[in-house]
Coordinates of all heavy atoms in Angstrom, one line a residue:
E497 N -3.5 -14.6 0.1 CA -3.1 -15.8 -0.7 C -1.6 -16.0 -0.5 O -0.8 -15.1 -0.6 CB -3.5 -15.6 -2.1 CG -5.0 -15.5 -2.4 CD -5.3 -15.5 -3.8 OE1 -4.7 -16.3 -4.6 OE2 -6.1 -14.6 -4.2
N498 N -1.2 -17.3 -0.4 CA 0.2 -17.7 -0.3 C 0.7 -18.0 -1.7 O 0.0 -18.7 -2.4 CB 0.4 -18.9 0.6 CG 0.1 -18.5 2.0 OD1 0.3 -17.4 2.5 ND2 -0.5 -19.5 2.7
I499 N 1.9 -17.5 -2.0 CA 2.5 -17.7 -3.3 C 3.9 -18.2 -3.1 O 4.7 -17.6 -2.4 CB 2.4 -16.5 -4.2 CG1 1.0 -16.0 -4.5 CG2 3.2 -16.7 -5.5 CD1 0.9 -14.7 -5.2
L500 N 4.2 -19.4 -3.7 CA 5.6 -19.9 -3.7 C 6.4 -19.4 -4.8 O 6.0 -19.4 -6.0 CB 5.5 -21.4 -3.7 CG 6.9 -22.1 -3.7 CD1 7.6 -21.9 -2.4 CD2 6.7 -23.6 -4.0
V501 N 7.5 -18.8 -4.5 CA 8.4 -18.2 -5.5 C 9.7 -19.0 -5.5 O 10.4 -19.1 -4.4 CB 8.7 -16.7 -5.2 CG1 9.7 -16.2 -6.3 CG2 7.4 -15.9 -5.2
I502 N 10.1 -19.6 -6.6 CA 11.3 -20.4 -6.7 C 12.2 -19.5 -7.6 O 11.9 -19.2 -8.7 CB 11.1 -21.8 -7.3 CG1 10.1 -22.5 -6.5 CG2 12.4 -22.5 -7.4 CD1 9.7 -23.9 -7.1
C503 N 13.4 -19.1 -7.0 CA 14.3 -18.2 -7.7 C 15.7 -18.5 -7.4 O 16.0 -19.5 -6.7 CB 13.9 -16.8 -7.5 SG 14.1 -16.3 -5.8
D504 N 16.6 -17.6 -7.8 CA 18.0 -17.7 -7.6 C 18.7 -18.7 -8.5 O 19.6 -19.4 -8.1 CB 18.4 -17.9 -6.1 CG 19.8 -17.4 -5.8 OD1 20.2 -16.4 -6.5 OD2 20.4 -17.9 -4.9
D505 N 18.4 -18.6 -9.8 CA 19.1 -19.4 -10.8 C 19.8 -18.4 -11.7 O 19.9 -17.2 -11.4 CB 18.2 -20.3 -11.6 CG 17.1 -19.6 -12.3 OD1 17.2 -18.3 -12.5 OD2 16.1 -20.2 -12.8
L506 N 20.4 -18.8 -12.7 CA 21.2 -18.0 -13.6 C 20.4 -16.8 -14.1 O 20.9 -15.7 -14.3 CB 21.7 -18.8 -14.8 CG 22.6 -18.0 -15.8 CD1 23.9 -17.5 -15.1 CD2 23.0 -19.0 -16.9
W507 N 19.1 -16.9 -14.4 CA 18.3 -15.9 -15.1 C 17.4 -15.1 -14.1 O 16.8 -14.1 -14.4 CB 17.4 -16.5 -16.2 CG 18.2 -17.1 -17.2 CD1 18.8 -16.5 -18.3 CD2 18.6 -18.5 -17.4 NE1 19.5 -17.4 -19.1 CE2 19.4 -18.6 -18.5 CE3 18.3 -19.6 -16.6 CZ2 19.9 -19.9 -18.9 CZ3 18.8 -20.8 -17.0 CH2 19.6 -20.9 -18.2
H508 N 17.2 -15.7 -12.9 CA 16.3 -15.0 -11.9 C 17.1 -14.9 -10.5 O 16.8 -15.6 -9.6 CB 15.1 -15.9 -11.7 CG 14.4 -16.2 -13.0 ND1 14.6 -17.3 -13.7 CD2 13.5 -15.4 -13.7 CE1 13.9 -17.3 -14.8 NE2 13.2 -16.2 -14.8
P509 N 18.0 -13.9 -10.4 CA 18.7 -13.7 -9.2 C 17.8 -13.4 -8.1 O 16.8 -12.6 -8.2 CB 19.7 -12.6 -9.5 CG 19.5 -12.2 -10.9 CD 18.4 -13.0 -11.5
A510 N 17.9 -14.0 -6.9 CA 17.0 -13.9 -5.8 C 16.9 -12.4 -5.4 O 15.8 -11.9 -5.0 CB 17.5 -14.7 -4.6
E511 N 18.0 -11.7 -5.3 CA 18.0 -10.3 -4.9 C 17.0 -9.5 -5.7 O 16.3 -8.7 -5.2 CB 19.4 -9.7 -5.0 CG 19.5 -8.3 -4.5 CD 20.9 -7.7 -4.7 OE1 21.8 -8.5 -5.0 OE2 21.0 -6.5 -4.5
V512 N 17.0 -9.6 -7.0 CA 16.2 -8.9 -7.9 C 14.7 -9.3 -7.7 O 13.8 -8.4 -7.6 CB 16.6 -9.1 -9.4 CG1 15.6 -8.4 -10.3 CG2 18.0 -8.6 -9.6
V513 N 14.4 -10.6 -7.6 CA 13.1 -11.0 -7.4 C 12.5 -10.6 -6.1 O 11.4 -10.1 -6.0 CB 13.0 -12.6 -7.5 CG1 11.7 -13.1 -7.2 CG2 13.5 -13.0 -8.9
E514 N 13.3 -10.7 -5.0 CA 12.8 -10.3 -3.7 C 12.6 -8.8 -3.6 O 11.6 -8.3 -3.0 CB 13.8 -10.7 -2.6 CG 13.9 -12.2 -2.4 CD 14.9 -12.7 -1.4 OE1 16.1 -12.1 -1.5 OE2 14.6 -13.5 -0.6

Side-chain angles (χ1 to χ4, degrees):
E497 293 187 48
N498 295 326
I499 298 175
L500 177 63
V501 178
I502 303 171
C503 61
D504 205 26
D505 60 15
L506 181 62
W507 300 278
H508 307 95
E511 180 182 352
V512 174
V513 173
E514 289 175 319

